[in-house]
Amino acid sequence: MPFLSISQAFAKKSVAPQKPIVVSTWDSGLPVNAVAWKILREKNGRALDAVEAGANSIEDTINCCVGLGGNPDRDGKVTLDACIMDEHANCGAVAYLQRIKHPISVARKVMELTPHVFLVGEGAQQFALANGFKLEPDKLSADAEKTYKEWLKKSEYKPVMNIEQQQSKGQKKEGHGPFAPNKFEDGSFNHDTMGTIALDASGNLSGACTTSGMGFKMKGRLGDSPIIGAGLFVDNEIGAAVSSGQGEEVIRIAGTHLVVEMMRMGKTPEEACKGAIERLVKINPEKAKNFQVGFIAINKAGEYGAYSINPGFSYSVTASDEGGKVFMAKSHYK
């Protein structure tokens, strides 16, 4: 009997691919999908173009967690992270990018115009400006400014008198706080990335992930969103996955890479997402009750699924001209 590849050996009975299809995190992914769908369906376009356009659309809005309108770090600066990956395993990413409106498009330029995968900080901004991106005003949106001022009152954080400087002088021994809160005042979790994955009519996969990160984070903090294999992973033979939630936890298990590898072993997208969540929860079950992580995934057959640690993680699916639908993911804790 001839040897089979791992993907062949564990593959389930093949089904006719459901394509095109686009899946995004959260209910806010519905309008993102609509933009992507125009490219996938009306223009019979490439998945890569579709996910970029979808990400651009939410980067243009005032949103707590995506784009320049998002919540700042604890020093009052909005810093953006994004990554993108195509069907050929080409990928690009930017992090700690300031005053540039479309980080996902900068990430694509990194992928297409440089030998690198990742540019950060001033270097990423310099690259963006050299490639035609505009430097936007260094100003918070009205929503973000209001939220930031309220956070400052409660945290008693004074950026000028940096708490780490006090520590170095021996004035404060415990912690490096104040840290970003796990939840906002309305009870929602403080880390809602926009992740989008798509399968086009040609059967090719791509994905994009964009965020302004955790609101009121420490200066320089980076989550999973721009990290290939953590926030996003695409394998055109198997499937694609993207995450949203507390990025530090996703990084620990290389979350989206793990989801795709579980699909390679024959699991459905939902089963693969569940397996990754169980791996994460196992590290510290009690801690996991107090933060959120969710994964979404699609495979080459256009099957999709999701799973999260705690209830409340929604995702949007568009696979027809009739429009998309929002689903609530199953969760480890009920």
Side-chain angles (χ1 to χ4, degrees):
M1 180 177 179
F3 289 105
L4 299 176
S5 69
I6 290 178
S7 58
Q8 288 176 313
F10 288 89
K12 295 184 177 180
K13 184 177 180 180
S14 61
V15 297
Q18 177 177 309
K19 58 184 181 180
I21 183 172
V22 56
V23 185
S24 292
T25 52
W26 306 106
D27 54 355
S28 56
L30 211 53
V32 171
N33 285 3
V35 172
W37 186 254
K38 289 182 180 180
I39 293 175
L40 290 172
R41 179 66 170 153
E42 296 177 12
K43 298 182 179 180
N44 198 30
R46 186 181 175 196
L48 183 70
D49 296 327
V51 297
E52 180 190 15
N56 283 160
S57 69
I58 195 168
E59 289 169 345
D60 282 334
T61 68
I62 300 301
N63 182 289
C64 73
C65 308
V66 178
L68 289 176
N71 289 322
D73 65 15
R74 69 183 187 182
D75 288 345
K77 298 294 182 180
V78 177
T79 63
L80 306 180
D81 311 319
C83 70
I84 195 165
M85 192 169 187
D86 72 7
E87 71 271 28
H88 304 298
N90 297 314
C91 45
V94 292
Y96 202 71
L97 179 63
Q98 299 183 57
R99 300 180 62 186
I100 301 295
K101 194 172 187 179
H102 292 304
I104 196 66
S105 295
V106 182
R108 181 168 178 175
K109 290 290 186 184
V110 172
M111 177 181 78
E112 295 178 338
L113 300 181
T114 82
H116 310 304
V117 169
F118 217 144
L119 293 180
V120 302
E122 291 183 7
Q125 186 189 78
Q126 181 180 349
F127 173 80
L129 295 176
N131 283 278
F133 292 85
K134 178 185 175 184
L135 195 64
E136 302 292 337
D138 186 11
K139 184 180 180 180
L140 296 178
S141 68
D143 289 351
E145 184 175 15
K146 179 180 178 181
T147 307
Y148 179 56
K149 286 180 178 179
E150 289 299 316
W151 178 80
L152 284 176
K153 291 178 184 177
K154 294 181 179 180
S155 68
E156 298 182 347
Y157 178 61
K158 297 176 175 58
V160 176
M161 297 180 64
N162 194 298
I163 208 161
E164 280 77 19
Q165 295 173 359
Q166 294 177 23
Q167 286 179 319
S168 67
K169 295 177 183 178
Q171 297 178 24
K172 190 174 180 68
K173 298 297 184 182
E174 70 280 3
H176 289 267
F179 292 113
N182 281 340
K183 293 183 178 181
F184 294 123
E185 289 186 359
D186 64 1
S188 62
F189 285 101
N190 178 14
H191 23 67
D192 293 353
T193 303
M194 177 48 58
T196 301
I197 45 181
L199 178 71
D200 61 32
S202 298
N204 290 319
L205 293 155
S206 289
C209 192
T210 183
T211 186
S212 56
M214 184 180 287
F216 324 123
K217 60 196 174 185
M218 289 182 69
K219 182 178 181 180
R221 179 264 181 186
L222 186 68
D224 65 312
S225 296
I227 300 175
I228 300 298
L232 170 71
F233 194 69
V234 177
D235 184 325
N236 206 45
E237 291 184 352
I238 305 299
V242 71
S243 67
S244 185
Q246 190 157 305
E248 286 81 358
E249 310 308 323
V250 179
I251 293 170
R252 295 183 206 284
I253 62 167
T256 54
H257 182 268
L258 178 59
V259 171
V260 172
E261 288 305 295
M262 287 187 172
M263 288 193 290
R264 188 188 306 278
M265 301 300 288
K267 291 184 180 295
T268 67
E270 182 181 301
E271 290 169 346
C273 292
K274 180 181 179 182
I277 289 296
E278 290 174 343
R279 181 82 59 88
L280 198 160
V281 170
K282 186 178 179 180
I283 296 171
N284 190 329
E286 286 304 310
K287 178 183 176 183
K289 293 178 181 179
N290 297 311
F291 64 81
Q292 180 70 299
V293 167
F295 294 106
I296 60 173
I298 55 177
N299 62 19
K300 285 286 282 188
E303 298 172 314
Y304 58 86
Y307 211 84
S308 63
I309 294 178
N310 287 293
F313 178 57
S314 62
Y315 64 105
S316 302
V317 179
T318 303
S320 77
D321 294 333
E322 296 176 0
K325 295 181 180 179
V326 175
F327 299 91
M328 294 302 301
K330 296 178 183 178
S331 59
H332 182 83
Y333 294 112
K334 306 305 180 184

